[in-house]
Amino acid sequence: MSDSIESSDNVELTDDELETNNKGQLIKKAGQLRDRRNELNQLASERASKRDELNAKTREKVDEAQEHREKRDELNEQVQEHKEKRNELNAKANELFDKVDDRKDDLELSEGKSVDDLESEIEDLEFKQQTEVLSTEDERELIEEIEEKREQLAERKEKLDQSGDLEAVKEKAQEVRAEASEHHQKVTELADKAQEHHNQMIEAYREADEIRDDADEWHEKFVEAQEAADQHHDDFVRVQKRLRELDKEEEDEKQEAREAKEEEAREEAEEIYEAFQNGETLDTEDLMKLQKTGLL
C-alpha cells in the first residue's frame, strides 16, 4: 500500500463540465467517479484496519506496562516491610550489644587478663618454683607474684560470676543481628526485582508510544483516503442530480411536443368536423381523425 494517494488517479469534476457536458459524457463521468470512490473507500478501510491493529497493540503494551507497574509497586511494598523489620531488629541488636558493653564496663571485664591467661601464667610460675633453684629473695618474689596472680584470678572469676547471663545476652544480640542481615538480604533481592519490573515498565511504555505514533500516522492516511472518497462521492451525487435534471428537461420537452401535436390534431379535427357539418363528404382518414379527437 502506497503511503500517499496518487492525485493523478483522482477524477476531477468542474462546474463547467457539470453544466455543459451531454448525458453520455456525464454518465461516463459518473462511472469514473463511482469507481474511484469505491477504490478510495477500500483504501480507507485498509488503512483504518491497520490503524486499529496498531491501536490494539498499543493497548497491549500499555496493559503490559501496567502489569509491571503493579508488580514493581507490590515488590516495593515488600522492600519497605523488610526494611522496617531490618531496622527494628538492628535497633534491638544494638540495644543488646550496648547492654553487654555496659555490663562489661560496670564489671571492668574489658580490662585485665582473661581467666585462661591468668591460670596459664600461675601454672608457669608454679612450675618455675618447683623446677628451678632460686635464691631466697627470688623465691620470695616468685611466691608474691604467684599470690598476686591468684588474687587477680579470684577477682576475675568473681566478676564473671556477677556477670550472670552476659554471654546469653551477647548470643541473643548476635542472633538478632543475623536475623536483621537476612531481612537486609531480602531488601536487596526484592529491590533488584522491583528495578527489573520498573525497567520493563519503562520499555513497554516506550514501545507503546512508538506504536501509537505509527497508529496516528495511519489514522492521518485513513482520513486522507476517506476525505478523497467523500469528495468523489459528493461529485458522483452532483452528476446524478444533473442527469436527473436533464432527464426531466427531456421529458418536459417530449411532453410539450406531445401536447403541441395533440393541439394541432384537435384543431385539424375541428376543421374537418365543421366541413362535415357543412355537408362535405369525409373520407376514411378524416373519419379516423375525428374518432381520435372524440368529435365523432
Side-chain angles (χ1 to χ4, degrees):
M1 184 190 301
S2 61
D3 288 341
S4 60
I5 294 175
E6 290 292 339
S7 58
S8 59
D9 293 335
N10 291 337
V11 180
E12 299 293 335
L13 175 68
T14 65
D15 292 339
D16 183 63
E17 286 178 319
L18 193 63
E19 293 299 323
T20 61
N21 282 6
N22 58 40
K23 281 184 65 176
Q25 292 171 320
L26 290 175
I27 289 172
K28 180 180 179 181
K29 179 70 73 171
Q32 292 172 338
L33 287 166
R34 181 193 62 236
D35 292 344
R36 182 56 177 164
R37 176 201 64 190
N38 293 344
E39 290 175 2
L40 290 167
N41 275 330
Q42 179 62 29
L43 184 61
S45 177
E46 292 171 359
R47 293 180 172 186
S49 296
K50 183 64 176 179
R51 175 204 61 195
D52 294 344
E53 176 186 342
L54 290 169
N55 279 332
K57 289 182 178 179
T58 298
R59 286 190 292 273
E60 290 176 4
K61 281 297 176 182
V62 170
D63 289 343
E64 180 183 334
Q66 188 60 30
E67 289 176 3
H68 286 300
R69 177 194 292 274
E70 292 173 358
K71 189 62 178 177
R72 178 204 64 183
D73 293 345
E74 177 185 337
L75 288 167
N76 280 334
E77 287 181 6
Q78 295 179 33
V79 167
Q80 189 59 34
E81 291 173 1
H82 283 286
K83 274 186 178 181
E84 293 174 358
K85 190 64 177 177
R86 177 200 63 190
N87 295 342
E88 176 186 336
L89 290 168
N90 275 330
K92 183 177 179 181
N94 289 338
E95 182 180 342
L96 290 171
F97 279 121
D98 288 342
K99 184 177 180 180
V100 170
D101 291 339
D102 290 342
R103 291 289 299 279
K104 282 184 176 181
D105 290 340
D106 291 342
L107 297 172
E108 298 179 349
L109 291 177
S110 57
E111 300 176 2
K113 297 179 179 179
S114 67
V115 170
D116 290 340
D117 288 341
L118 289 170
E119 287 179 342
S120 178
E121 289 178 1
I122 291 171
E123 185 178 342
D124 290 342
L125 290 172
E126 288 177 340
F127 180 79
K128 180 178 181 180
Q129 182 187 23
Q130 295 171 5
T131 59
E132 293 184 13
V133 178
L134 302 171
S135 66
T136 302
E137 181 65 25
D138 288 340
E139 187 171 0
R140 184 180 61 79
E141 290 179 358
L142 183 59
I143 292 172
E144 290 177 355
E145 186 177 356
I146 291 172
E147 288 301 320
E148 183 181 346
K149 296 289 185 183
R150 285 175 178 169
E151 289 176 2
Q152 291 177 7
L153 177 60
E155 183 181 349
R156 190 71 176 179
K157 287 183 176 181
E158 183 181 357
K159 288 181 178 180
L160 287 174
D161 290 339
Q162 293 174 0
S163 70
D165 60 350
L166 193 59
E167 287 301 318
V169 174
K170 183 178 179 181
E171 183 177 344
K172 178 63 176 177
Q174 292 171 339
E175 290 176 358
V176 173
R177 182 76 79 198
E179 187 178 352
S181 296
E182 291 178 2
H183 283 283
H184 179 72
Q185 182 63 30
K186 274 292 185 182
V187 166
T188 302
E189 292 175 2
L190 292 171
D192 288 343
K193 289 181 180 178
Q195 186 62 44
E196 289 178 7
H197 282 286
H198 177 76
N199 294 340
Q200 290 173 322
M201 177 196 73
I202 296 300
E203 178 62 18
Y205 275 132
R206 186 192 64 76
E207 292 178 3
D209 288 340
E210 288 184 355
I211 298 171
R212 186 184 291 108
D213 289 342
D214 288 342
D216 290 343
E217 290 181 6
W218 279 100
H219 178 68
E220 292 176 2
K221 295 174 185 177
F222 156 74
V223 171
E224 177 191 26
Q226 192 61 63
E227 288 179 347
D230 291 344
Q231 181 60 55
H232 281 73
H233 177 72
D234 292 343
D235 287 343
F236 173 76
V237 171
R238 290 172 64 202
V239 172
Q240 292 294 94
K241 181 180 179 182
R242 178 57 180 160
L243 286 170
R244 287 194 295 273
E245 290 175 355
L246 291 176
D247 287 342
K248 182 68 167 55
E249 290 174 3
E250 286 183 0
E251 183 59 32
D252 290 343
E253 289 175 359
K254 289 179 181 179
Q255 181 63 25
E256 289 177 1
R258 284 195 297 270
E259 290 176 354
K261 187 175 181 180
E262 290 174 357
E263 177 63 22
E264 182 182 351
R266 186 182 61 77
E267 291 175 355
E268 183 181 3
E270 287 177 350
E271 292 177 359
I272 294 172
Y273 185 71
E274 184 178 351
F276 172 69
Q277 286 181 325
N278 290 332
E280 292 184 12
T281 302
L282 302 181
D283 57 21
T284 302
E285 185 179 351
D286 290 336
L287 291 173
M288 291 180 64
K289 290 180 179 179
L290 290 176
Q291 288 178 344
K292 284 182 180 180
T293 56
L295 293 178
L296 183 63

